[in-house]
Amino acid sequence: MIRQHGGPDVLTLEETELPPLKSGEALIRNTACGVNYADIYEREGDHGGPHSAKPMPIVMGHMAVGIVEEVGPDVSSPPVGARVGYIGPASYAEHTVMPAARLFPLPDALSDEVAGGYLLRGLTAEYLVRRLYPLGPGKTALVHAAAGGMGILLGQWGRKLGARMIGTVGSDEKMQIARSFGYDAAINYNTEDFAARVMELTDGTGADVIYDGIGKSAFRASLDCIRPRGMVISYGTASGNVGAFDLQLLHSKSIIVTRPTLRSWIADPEEARAAAGATFTFLADPDIRTPIGAILPLSQAAEAHRQLEGRVTTAPIILKP
């Protein structure tokens, strides 16, 4: 938990009492807790990010998988002993209380580690490529940070749907990583003008859709390599918030720009269950590669944040209670 905003060192391991279960709630014994960049925003107190301000102290985390250990009144499903995943607060913990209706049963073919590392990323990828801008044959997608935790999912899922996938990365080594995860072409944005290269690769047309998890350093140039009536999806801000920009920049090509967040795409329980089902089917596919960057004990949550901020690994980090 944290008792003040700041760097990784404000994370402390403490014991606290859990409240009795209320009607409709379940107690989850966490087995694998995911670490996401949104956790860093919350730790730093950046409320321009996906999480609003909360009173201190804050138990960190927003995603985990585990075992249903106890259920409250009026809960018939999932049963005690079921393996489940969830998107919800206070997941950096041995146990978390969640509404039973917001728990996603895990298929046997999916390990705790993969589900814990990829649940939030997988659900994000699902709405990005299947619902917000459905990919398929004849579509060309540009993905920024193609060798990162989200990028390797988007590349594989887009390729599986039949789209042409182009990725930008920050080094020649990461170009090879991107190609190995489904990208037809990779661009090193530190040595090439990625917008000019995308226009070259698309014969001057531009990409149909751009998935931008970088934000400030990539957004403006993305407008130069999207096709007329194409969509630029700013779903993350690893380099900082995009900030204000002139809306007239969209005018000449009728560009569509959107800034979505996962919670609005899984707010409806039925939509959420359908999205989770599609995500688990994708993650459990033997042709899909889901590497884990690091597995650390819960007590080393600060180290997990340092590794994520320092981009030490290109794959998800897991905390094990």
Side-chain angles (χ1 to χ4, degrees):
M1 62 172 63
I2 61 172
R3 295 183 175 276
Q4 62 184 29
H5 295 298
D9 290 341
V10 301
L11 285 158
T12 60
L13 187 65
E14 301 184 32
E15 288 194 1
T16 186
E17 292 295 322
L18 286 168
L21 293 182
K22 299 175 185 176
S23 178
E25 291 184 335
L27 177 67
I28 313 304
R29 177 173 58 81
N30 297 321
T31 57
C33 311
V35 180
N36 295 281
Y37 220 93
D39 302 343
I40 291 172
Y41 298 145
E42 182 167 52
R43 189 203 73 217
E44 293 176 337
D46 178 3
H47 302 307
H51 304 298
S52 56
K54 299 176 186 175
M56 293 291 179
I58 298 170
V59 180
M60 295 291 294
H62 297 90
M63 171 185 76
V65 302
I67 308 294
V68 177
E69 201 165 82
E70 185 182 345
V71 295
D74 304 318
V75 174
S76 58
S77 179
V80 170
R83 295 175 64 237
V84 296
Y86 64 88
I87 302 292
S91 68
Y92 285 15
E94 290 181 341
H95 291 81
T96 301
V97 174
M98 279 290 296
R102 303 298 300 185
L103 300 174
F104 306 128
L106 295 178
D108 292 340
L110 199 58
S111 72
D112 288 1
E113 288 75 21
V114 170
Y118 284 93
L119 177 56
L120 191 145
R121 291 172 177 86
L123 287 169
T124 300
E126 185 277 330
Y127 87 76
L128 288 175
V129 304
R130 294 181 74 245
R131 292 189 283 158
L132 178 52
Y133 192 98
L135 290 182
K139 300 294 185 183
T140 296
L142 174 66
V143 178
H144 292 310
M150 271 300 299
I152 64 176
L153 280 189
L154 292 171
Q156 293 180 94
W157 209 328
R159 183 73 172 268
K160 193 172 184 64
L161 292 170
R164 181 190 184 193
M165 304 302 293
I166 302 171
T168 70
V169 294
S171 69
D172 290 344
E173 179 186 8
K174 289 184 177 180
M175 290 175 69
Q176 299 302 319
I177 294 172
R179 291 192 186 100
S180 73
F181 282 97
Y183 288 90
D184 299 277
I187 305 165
N188 183 344
Y189 55 72
N190 284 320
T191 59
E192 285 190 271
D193 179 337
F194 77 77
R197 181 65 177 138
V198 169
M199 295 303 290
E200 182 182 334
L201 289 168
T202 58
D203 298 322
T205 301
D208 295 291
V209 60
I210 297 176
Y211 297 108
D212 176 16
I214 294 179
K216 185 176 181 180
S217 66
F219 176 79
R220 175 60 186 86
S222 295
L223 303 182
D224 296 331
C225 59
I226 190 73
R227 68 160 172 82
R229 294 165 53 187
M231 182 182 289
V232 179
I233 303 171
S234 176
Y235 72 89
T237 54
S239 71
N241 291 327
V242 169
F245 72 96
D246 185 356
L247 199 63
Q248 287 301 109
L249 294 172
L250 313 179
H251 179 224
S252 64
K253 293 193 289 185
S254 296
I255 299 170
I256 302 163
V257 172
T258 180
R259 180 63 175 94
T261 186
L262 172 62
R263 66 174 175 267
S264 64
W265 286 85
I266 58 170
D268 178 84
E270 288 189 15
E271 277 192 319
R273 281 191 290 271
T279 299
F280 294 153
T281 298
F282 169 73
L283 293 174
D285 187 325
D287 292 331
I288 300 303
R289 296 166 56 207
T290 50
I292 299 298
I295 299 176
L296 299 172
L298 180 63
S299 60
Q300 292 184 26
E303 175 59 22
H305 278 218
R306 291 187 193 98
Q307 291 190 20
L308 191 60
E309 286 180 291
R311 291 173 171 78
V312 172
T313 176
T314 60
I317 299 172
I318 299 297
L319 294 174
K320 298 283 281 188

